[in-house]
């Protein structure tokens, strides 16, 4: 059955490609100095209205061009334009490589034109593209810019805390959001300290954040996608970056093995590594220390905060080898090793290790309008937590491999057909003992097979993107047909309407429960093979997958050449969610619990951008609810109102100074209130225990209304000041002074229910860092 469906999709779209005739002009646009691709540059044919934007690889393709001689013109902000002669013949394909010189002048009109053209020609509902330049503009904790600190600035994204907090995207918990690095799924992308990720900012080319309504090329998750692409190494010369600050140090080296020459190919490498030492420096520089009750320590644990500090450490290594041919085809080989540890003597020892290797390629045939891409990856993630009060350690591992192919045809009027196939193998091992001594263990291997197709059609001012994804879960013997759809209407040159909808599914489950305020043990297991009951019922569910559907509408409006506004109301219906039953009290109790839920709200964003000024303001109104069959309740990450403001300003004779500020305001998270206490006997000597004379433990009586209380509001202001010193053409030193929580707001994290002690998030945290580039 599946074979017939795949073949039908293939024949339909291959047949569709034969409708496109006349000539084709395609190529790549590169930075002449480094060989880096020019992303979202504008390429047009002089004397015509034909033009396109380059993609992440600097690639462009224009089809259905009448035969003749033309001027091919490429422009991009901050670069001199370049024009070359090109001859177009019927049914022929002409390839050109274009190289732009950096002019050092910010051409504001060119930048605005390119961004507006991209917005008019792509649907991109609920999608924000983040660049390294934007990440670096954010006031950074420790003076080290990181995508983990930038993501919460985006509309619809909530971060619950500085110490082991979780990232939630429009009502989706972390396991429901897929994080991709060069096409490989990263299962734990954020370090335990909370504001550092495993990704190196200097190695990132782009980050696409899709907060909902994503099309058929993405699958296996029911809420959101964060797609991170790294760049190739410098193709022209040896270069690098070294930095040091109180939190960590890093080193990046890159350069050519075979130098890029115009009209020729290249081979380059990129190596980067970073290592933290905040566990040592925090004892000397900061008075703040982590609260050990986060890890299950009793209130009377005797640990000197001055000896503890911030007991987090991590090491991240990443390497990439890139081969680029003269016609833009390329092959990348990459690998990584990410490590994290939290060590609190006498309380808990947590560590995880993530190792992966992979390859991806892009093939551009000389005589076809088809572009072929593919990847193959393997990764192994292991985590273990040993606690003093629980001699049985928690352990989880997930080994996965993935292979995929995708094909893209370029048609007239910027239309495209994209389809592909993928296979994923997931091997999980999970071991856990709950507070009553019941062991939970699961070892499983499952295979997921997927096929997708998406057709982008442009008719005058209307852009349509219908899509379809077929997802087959082998361990559950279940095939899912998931339609997706996106549309944009250009009402005027400045006003655009857009919408997206789709159905989604996933098989992967996290050991982190949505009810956790903080949980550093992030383990994984696949969907259960045993039967699951519907919420509040003894009736079995129809399937054992997590499923959802999305509906999104949006408006984009360019107020002026420098000001743009985006408004997006959204709805996500979570038709089935599955959690591990950690409150199992009888051997016959089920290992899993099912819930339903919904997330809805509206996101506003305002952007003002000029060459030396960047202002970004977002406001999110959100509701996130779950239904476990007993009651409908808000989740612990249900933040009603969330505001972010980011301002960056460059000044000085050559813009050598840069000042940045970020303010975040959020209403309080829900929590379940305490009604009272009682004496809890553990019957340590079974029937010999005397419950009358022996002292039991302190038990807590919780309110029957789940998450009926609200914590106080959260707000924080971060600021930074950067000074750039240039030494010759390539070398420069950046000195960064940054302050996290500048006015030292005491933002509550939680309250210890037994002692009544309040645990706050990070206080004022000044830092100084140096970044040297050469």
């Amino acid at each position: 059955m599946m074979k017939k469906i795949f073949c039908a999709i293939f024949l339909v779209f291959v047949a569709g490609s034969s409708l496109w005739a006349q000539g084709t002009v395609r190529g790549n646009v590169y930075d002449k100095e480094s060989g880096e691709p020019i992303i979202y540059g504008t390429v047009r044919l002089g004397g015509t209205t034909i033009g396109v934007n380059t993609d992440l690889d600097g690639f462009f393709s224009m089809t259905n061009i009448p035969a003749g001689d033309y001027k091919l013109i490429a422009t991009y902000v901050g670069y001199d334009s370049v024009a070359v002669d090109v001859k177009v013949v019927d049914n022929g394909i002409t390839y050109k490589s274009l190289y732009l010189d950096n002019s050092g002048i910010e051409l504001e009109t060119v930048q605005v034109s390119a961004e507006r053209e991209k917005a008019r020609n792509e649907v991109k509902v609920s999608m924000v593209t983040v660049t390294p330049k934007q990440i670096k503009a954010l006031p950074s904790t420790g003076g080290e810019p990181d995508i983990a600190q930038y993501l919460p600035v985006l509309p619809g994204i909530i971060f619950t805390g500085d110490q082991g907090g979780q990232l939630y995207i429009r009502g989706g918990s972390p396991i429901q959001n897929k994080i991709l690095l060069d096409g490989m799924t990263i299962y734990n992308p954020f370090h335990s300290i909370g504001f550092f990720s495993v990704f190196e900012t200097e190695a990132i080319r782009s980050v696409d954040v899709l907060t909902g309504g994503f099309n058929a090329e993405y699958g296996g998750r029911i809420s959101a996608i964060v797609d991170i692409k790294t760049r190739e190494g410098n193709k022209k010369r040896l270069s690098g970056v070294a930095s040091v600050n109180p939190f960590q140090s890093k080193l990046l080296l890159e350069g050519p093995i075979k130098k890029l020459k115009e009209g020729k190919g290249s081979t380059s490498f990129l190596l980067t590594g970073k290592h933290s030492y905040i566990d040592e420096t925090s004892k000397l520089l900061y008075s703040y220390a982590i609260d050990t009750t986060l890890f299950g320590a009793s209130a009377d644990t005797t640990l000197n905060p001055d000896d503890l500090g911030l007991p987090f450490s991590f090491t991240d290594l990443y390497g990439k080898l890139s081969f680029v041919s003269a016609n833009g085809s390329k092959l990348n080989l990459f690998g990584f090793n990410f490590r994290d540890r939290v060590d609190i003597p006498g309380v808990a020892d947590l560590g995880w290790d993530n190792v992966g290797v992979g390859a991806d390629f892009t093939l551009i045939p000389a005589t076809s309008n088809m572009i072929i891409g593919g990847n193959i990856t393997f990764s192994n993630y292991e985590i273990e937590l040993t606690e003093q009060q629980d001699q049985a350690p928690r352990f989880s591992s997930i080994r996965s491999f993935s292979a995929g192919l995708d094909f893209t045809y370029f048609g007239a009027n910027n239309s495209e057909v994209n389809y592909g196939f993928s296979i994923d193998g997931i091997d999980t091992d999970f071991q856990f003992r709950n507070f009553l001594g019941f062991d939970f263990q699961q070892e499983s291997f499952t295979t997921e097979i997927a096929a997708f197709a998406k057709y982008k059609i442009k008719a005058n001012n209307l852009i349509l993107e219908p899509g379809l994804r077929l997802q087959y879960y082998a361990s559950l013997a279940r095939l899912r047909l998931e339609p997706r759809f996106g549309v944009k209407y250009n009402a005027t040159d400045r006003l655009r309407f857009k919408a997206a909808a789709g159905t989604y599914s996933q098989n992967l489950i996290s050991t982190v429960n949505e009810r956790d305020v903080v949980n550093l043990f992030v383990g994984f297991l696949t969907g259960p093979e045993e039967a699951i009951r519907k919420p509040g019922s003894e009736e079995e569910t129809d399937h054992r997958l997590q499923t959802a559907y999305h509906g999104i509408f949006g408006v984009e409006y360019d107020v002026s050449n420098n000001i743009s506004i985006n408004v997006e109301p959204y709805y996500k219906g979570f038709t089935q969610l599955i959690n591990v039953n950690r409150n199992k009290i009888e051997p016959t109790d089920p290992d899993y619990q099912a819930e339903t839920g919904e997330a809805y709200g509206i996101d506003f964003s305002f952007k003002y951008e000029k060459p030396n000024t960047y202002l970004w303001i977002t406001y999110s109104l959100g509701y996130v609810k779950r239904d476990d069959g007993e009651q409908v309740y808000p989740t612990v990450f249900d933040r009603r109102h969330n505001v972010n403001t980011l301002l960056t300003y460059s000044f000085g004779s050559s813009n050598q100074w840069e000042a940045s500020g970020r303010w975040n305001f959020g209403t309080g998270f829900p929590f379940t209130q305490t009604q009272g206490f009682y004496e809890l006997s553990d019957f340590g000597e079974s029937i010999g225990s005397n419950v009358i004379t022996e002292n039991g433990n302190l038990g807590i009586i919780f309110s029957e209304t789940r998450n009926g209380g609200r914590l106080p509001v959260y707000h924080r202001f971060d600021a930074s000041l950067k000074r750039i010193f240039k030494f010759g053409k390539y070398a420069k030193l950046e000195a960064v002074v940054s302050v996290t929580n500048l006015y030292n707001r005491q933002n509550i994290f939680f309250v210890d229910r037994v002692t009544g002690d309040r645990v706050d998030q990070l206080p004022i945290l000044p830092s100084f860092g140096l970044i040297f580039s050469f």
Side-chain angles (χ1 to χ4, degrees), residues 129-141:
T129 298
V130 181
T131 66
K133 180 180 178 181
Q134 292 171 322
I135 298 173
K136 295 175 185 178
L138 184 74
S140 52
T141 302

PDB file of all heavy atoms in Angstrom, residues 129-141:
ATOM      1  N   THR A 129      13.273  33.806  11.080  1.00  0.00           N
ATOM      2  CA  THR A 129      14.651  33.426  10.765  1.00  0.00           C
ATOM      3  C   THR A 129      15.605  34.291  11.580  1.00  0.00           C
ATOM      4  O   THR A 129      15.539  35.523  11.529  1.00  0.00           O
ATOM      5  CB  THR A 129      14.945  33.588   9.266  1.00  0.00           C
ATOM      6  OG1 THR A 129      14.096  32.707   8.524  1.00  0.00           O
ATOM      7  CG2 THR A 129      16.394  33.238   8.962  1.00  0.00           C
ATOM      8  N   VAL A 130      16.467  33.638  12.339  1.00  0.00           N
ATOM      9  CA  VAL A 130      17.420  34.322  13.214  1.00  0.00           C
ATOM     10  C   VAL A 130      18.822  34.167  12.636  1.00  0.00           C
ATOM     11  O   VAL A 130      19.222  33.069  12.238  1.00  0.00           O
ATOM     12  CB  VAL A 130      17.368  33.735  14.638  1.00  0.00           C
ATOM     13  CG1 VAL A 130      18.347  34.463  15.553  1.00  0.00           C
ATOM     14  CG2 VAL A 130      15.962  33.814  15.191  1.00  0.00           C
ATOM     15  N   THR A 131      19.564  35.259  12.583  1.00  0.00           N
ATOM     16  CA  THR A 131      20.929  35.243  12.064  1.00  0.00           C
ATOM     17  C   THR A 131      21.925  35.385  13.207  1.00  0.00           C
ATOM     18  O   THR A 131      21.581  35.870  14.294  1.00  0.00           O
ATOM     19  CB  THR A 131      21.136  36.402  11.069  1.00  0.00           C
ATOM     20  OG1 THR A 131      21.028  37.642  11.780  1.00  0.00           O
ATOM     21  CG2 THR A 131      20.092  36.356   9.951  1.00  0.00           C
ATOM     22  N   PRO A 132      23.179  34.975  12.993  1.00  0.00           N
ATOM     23  CA  PRO A 132      24.207  35.182  14.028  1.00  0.00           C
ATOM     24  C   PRO A 132      24.350  36.640  14.443  1.00  0.00           C
ATOM     25  O   PRO A 132      24.611  36.933  15.615  1.00  0.00           O
ATOM     26  CB  PRO A 132      25.479  34.659  13.361  1.00  0.00           C
ATOM     27  CG  PRO A 132      24.998  33.660  12.355  1.00  0.00           C
ATOM     28  CD  PRO A 132      23.692  34.209  11.850  1.00  0.00           C
ATOM     29  N   LYS A 133      24.157  37.567  13.498  1.00  0.00           N
ATOM     30  CA  LYS A 133      24.253  38.993  13.818  1.00  0.00           C
ATOM     31  C   LYS A 133      23.208  39.379  14.859  1.00  0.00           C
ATOM     32  O   LYS A 133      23.483  40.141  15.794  1.00  0.00           O
ATOM     33  CB  LYS A 133      24.069  39.827  12.547  1.00  0.00           C
ATOM     34  CG  LYS A 133      24.158  41.328  12.779  1.00  0.00           C
ATOM     35  CD  LYS A 133      23.973  42.095  11.473  1.00  0.00           C
ATOM     36  CE  LYS A 133      24.013  43.603  11.720  1.00  0.00           C
ATOM     37  NZ  LYS A 133      23.805  44.376  10.456  1.00  0.00           N
ATOM     38  N   GLN A 134      21.993  38.854  14.725  1.00  0.00           N
ATOM     39  CA  GLN A 134      20.942  39.158  15.686  1.00  0.00           C
ATOM     40  C   GLN A 134      21.233  38.536  17.051  1.00  0.00           C
ATOM     41  O   GLN A 134      20.982  39.140  18.087  1.00  0.00           O
ATOM     42  CB  GLN A 134      19.597  38.663  15.152  1.00  0.00           C
ATOM     43  CG  GLN A 134      19.105  39.446  13.938  1.00  0.00           C
ATOM     44  CD  GLN A 134      17.892  38.800  13.300  1.00  0.00           C
ATOM     45  OE1 GLN A 134      17.790  37.575  13.216  1.00  0.00           O
ATOM     46  NE2 GLN A 134      16.975  39.612  12.819  1.00  0.00           N
ATOM     47  N   ILE A 135      21.760  37.315  17.051  1.00  0.00           N
ATOM     48  CA  ILE A 135      22.097  36.653  18.313  1.00  0.00           C
ATOM     49  C   ILE A 135      23.164  37.447  19.058  1.00  0.00           C
ATOM     50  O   ILE A 135      23.082  37.648  20.274  1.00  0.00           O
ATOM     51  CB  ILE A 135      22.586  35.214  18.056  1.00  0.00           C
ATOM     52  CG1 ILE A 135      21.486  34.388  17.394  1.00  0.00           C
ATOM     53  CG2 ILE A 135      23.022  34.548  19.355  1.00  0.00           C
ATOM     54  CD1 ILE A 135      21.935  33.003  16.955  1.00  0.00           C
ATOM     55  N   LYS A 136      24.153  37.935  18.326  1.00  0.00           N
ATOM     56  CA  LYS A 136      25.242  38.687  18.947  1.00  0.00           C
ATOM     57  C   LYS A 136      24.800  40.052  19.460  1.00  0.00           C
ATOM     58  O   LYS A 136      25.450  40.627  20.344  1.00  0.00           O
ATOM     59  CB  LYS A 136      26.383  38.873  17.946  1.00  0.00           C
ATOM     60  CG  LYS A 136      27.066  37.583  17.530  1.00  0.00           C
ATOM     61  CD  LYS A 136      28.101  37.837  16.437  1.00  0.00           C
ATOM     62  CE  LYS A 136      28.708  36.546  15.925  1.00  0.00           C
ATOM     63  NZ  LYS A 136      29.675  36.779  14.821  1.00  0.00           N
ATOM     64  N   ALA A 137      23.698  40.574  18.909  1.00  0.00           N
ATOM     65  CA  ALA A 137      23.216  41.889  19.344  1.00  0.00           C
ATOM     66  C   ALA A 137      22.515  41.829  20.689  1.00  0.00           C
ATOM     67  O   ALA A 137      22.314  42.864  21.337  1.00  0.00           O
ATOM     68  CB  ALA A 137      22.265  42.462  18.292  1.00  0.00           C
ATOM     69  N   LEU A 138      22.157  40.635  21.146  1.00  0.00           N
ATOM     70  CA  LEU A 138      21.431  40.492  22.405  1.00  0.00           C
ATOM     71  C   LEU A 138      22.390  40.622  23.587  1.00  0.00           C
ATOM     72  O   LEU A 138      23.481  40.053  23.573  1.00  0.00           O
ATOM     73  CB  LEU A 138      20.750  39.123  22.450  1.00  0.00           C
ATOM     74  CG  LEU A 138      19.856  38.843  23.655  1.00  0.00           C
ATOM     75  CD1 LEU A 138      18.552  39.614  23.519  1.00  0.00           C
ATOM     76  CD2 LEU A 138      19.575  37.340  23.764  1.00  0.00           C
ATOM     77  N   PRO A 139      22.002  41.376  24.650  1.00  0.00           N
ATOM     78  CA  PRO A 139      22.828  41.369  25.869  1.00  0.00           C
ATOM     79  C   PRO A 139      22.933  39.937  26.391  1.00  0.00           C
ATOM     80  O   PRO A 139      21.920  39.285  26.644  1.00  0.00           O
ATOM     81  CB  PRO A 139      22.024  42.253  26.836  1.00  0.00           C
ATOM     82  CG  PRO A 139      21.164  43.099  25.972  1.00  0.00           C
ATOM     83  CD  PRO A 139      20.838  42.265  24.772  1.00  0.00           C
ATOM     84  N   SER A 140      24.138  39.444  26.531  1.00  0.00           N
ATOM     85  CA  SER A 140      24.329  38.020  26.800  1.00  0.00           C
ATOM     86  C   SER A 140      24.847  37.787  28.206  1.00  0.00           C
ATOM     87  O   SER A 140      25.691  38.533  28.707  1.00  0.00           O
ATOM     88  CB  SER A 140      25.301  37.414  25.788  1.00  0.00           C
ATOM     89  OG  SER A 140      26.493  38.151  25.714  1.00  0.00           O
ATOM     90  N   THR A 141      24.339  36.742  28.848  1.00  0.00           N
ATOM     91  CA  THR A 141      24.833  36.339  30.154  1.00  0.00           C
ATOM     92  C   THR A 141      26.261  35.821  30.018  1.00  0.00           C
ATOM     93  O   THR A 141      26.533  34.937  29.213  1.00  0.00           O
ATOM     94  CB  THR A 141      23.937  35.243  30.747  1.00  0.00           C
ATOM     95  OG1 THR A 141      22.601  35.733  30.836  1.00  0.00           O
ATOM     96  CG2 THR A 141      24.423  34.836  32.119  1.00  0.00           C
TER      97      THR A 141
END
